[in-house]
Structures are given as structure tokens and as C-alpha cells.
Amino acid sequence: MVVRCCLNFAYGLDSEGQKLDYDYIAAYPDREFYLAKDWSKNGHAIDSETTIQQGDILSYSLNVTHSGKGQYDTLPLIDHMSGTQALLAPVEKNSGAEWAQGLQTITDNGVEYYILDKPGVYNNVWTSESQLADTVEVTQSGSGLDTLIKWYFANYTGNRTDTITYRSYVCPDENALSYSLGNESWLNDHQSHRLYATLPGWQGT
């Protein structure tokens, strides 16, 4: 992922050949990658005024846009969910997975989902009907759960936009007086070359 900048300086000279005040123009060609995300509840965008309660299901959408001739053998996309929410994985796509044994399920609009709320590493998780995550790592935290979801694109090149969708289940502790939800995503594993997209988060009681 590369962003290049070109600077053009312009200045004048006085009668003695000394430089006068100058100005410059910074030109940024189109970026190679764009990463955007949003979230919703029941088809409506979530903001600070949205009411979110135990048992609600949230929908996330990640958009990766690439332009240019760059080619990547393997391109990682990572999502970090935090707070009192757990990833949902459709039962029909994941029913044969070893990690699915013993997990609770819920049903929404006729679709049954596993609730990935147990700490551990889940391998080869279908997060939707068409997207397979390489790993999902769940750890317990002071605010609830930390969930790291890793997808990988292979032979990534050309002008294209890819959309990743997934869902979460809101599950605050029964004794919690307040709870929060957070989410950020980044493209590329190398920390100094990551492209981030972050949601503002949500807090409630």
C-alpha cells in the first residue's frame, strides 16, 4: 500500500535577486487501497442514540477497494471486536467443525448461528455464506470479549471492491452495570504498513 506525494514550489525574486514569499501545492495521487466499515441493527445504522440490549444482533460490513496494478500473493484483513459481543457463525456452513461442539446457538430470521463466546482459537470459520476466516481468536477481557478475526485474500490484484459481512451477538454479563462495544479493522499484518478503519464505539447501561 503506497501513497506518494509530489510538492511543487513557486516563488519570485526581488530586484536584488532575493527570494520573495513562496507557496507550494501538494498533490496526492489516488491511494491504492481504501478500507471502510459500518454497522447496523435491524437494518438501521448505529449511532450514539441507538438502544442496544442483551440478545440484540448487530451486522457489520467491511469494504476493501483496490485500484492500480499492484499484486499481492497474500493480503490479510483483520477485525478486532471488543466489549460485550460475540461473533456469530452460521450453523449450516460450520456444522462439521470440531470447534462447534458444545457451543450455544441462536436463530434469527430462520438462520441458526453458533455463538463464539468461549475463549480459544477457532480455525476455518465461515463468518457468512461466502467468507471463510482463517482463524478467530477469542480471549476474555475486563470489558467482555476480545475477538480477532483474520481473513486472507489470495492473488489480490486489479481494480476491485470486496465486501466482508459478519454479525455479532450482544451478551453483557448479568451483573454488569454498564457495558460497551468496540470495533476496528486493519489491512496488512505489518504494523507500520496497516490501513485502519475504526467505528466510534458504543456505551450503554
Side-chain angles (χ1 to χ4, degrees):
M1 286 166 282
V2 179
V3 178
R4 298 184 177 89
C5 174
C6 301
L7 297 180
N8 293 318
F9 289 86
Y11 58 85
L13 301 177
D14 62 16
S15 59
E16 298 179 355
Q18 299 298 313
K19 290 180 180 179
L20 299 172
D21 289 342
Y22 64 86
D23 200 357
Y24 67 89
I25 300 172
Y28 292 87
D30 290 342
R31 288 165 53 175
E32 185 181 1
F33 281 97
Y34 287 88
L35 180 62
K37 71 182 310 177
D38 56 47
W39 59 341
S40 61
K41 172 190 166 187
N42 297 328
H44 300 284
I46 294 172
D47 57 31
S48 59
E49 302 301 318
T50 302
T51 300
I52 300 177
Q53 300 176 330
Q54 161 72 39
D56 282 343
I57 294 176
L58 311 180
S59 298
Y60 289 92
S61 178
L62 265 170
N63 290 299
V64 182
T65 300
H66 176 259
S67 60
K69 298 180 180 179
Q71 183 169 348
Y72 301 83
D73 293 334
T74 303
L75 181 66
L77 175 64
I78 296 92
D79 185 85
H80 175 210
M81 290 199 313
S82 59
T84 54
Q85 58 181 329
L87 179 67
L88 293 177
V91 168
E92 185 176 0
K93 297 288 291 187
N94 294 286
S95 59
E98 292 183 6
W99 52 258
Q101 299 180 12
L103 290 181
Q104 294 184 354
T105 64
I106 61 166
T107 300
D108 181 60
N109 290 328
V111 180
E112 190 177 13
Y113 297 90
Y114 292 114
I115 305 173
L116 276 64
D117 59 348
K118 307 300 182 187
V121 177
Y122 304 77
N123 295 304
N124 300 318
V125 180
W126 287 95
T127 52
S128 69
E129 290 298 313
S130 58
Q131 279 105 28
L132 177 67
D134 186 70
T135 60
V136 174
E137 183 176 359
V138 179
T139 57
Q140 198 77 39
S141 70
S143 62
L145 297 173
D146 273 333
T147 302
L148 279 177
I149 312 166
K150 293 185 178 182
W151 299 274
Y152 289 91
F153 297 104
N155 301 319
Y156 202 90
T157 188
N159 296 323
R160 57 188 286 183
T161 296
D162 294 275
T163 300
I164 305 293
T165 58
Y166 55 101
R167 311 185 82 191
S168 75
Y169 177 72
V170 180
C171 49
D173 186 275
E174 293 181 357
N175 299 317
L177 299 178
S178 64
Y179 53 98
S180 62
L181 306 169
N183 192 288
E184 65 174 349
S185 304
W186 58 89
L187 200 60
N188 202 331
D189 265 340
H190 197 290
Q191 190 166 3
S192 63
H193 296 90
R194 289 176 179 172
L195 181 62
Y196 284 88
T198 304
L199 292 172
W202 183 94
Q203 290 186 331
T205 58

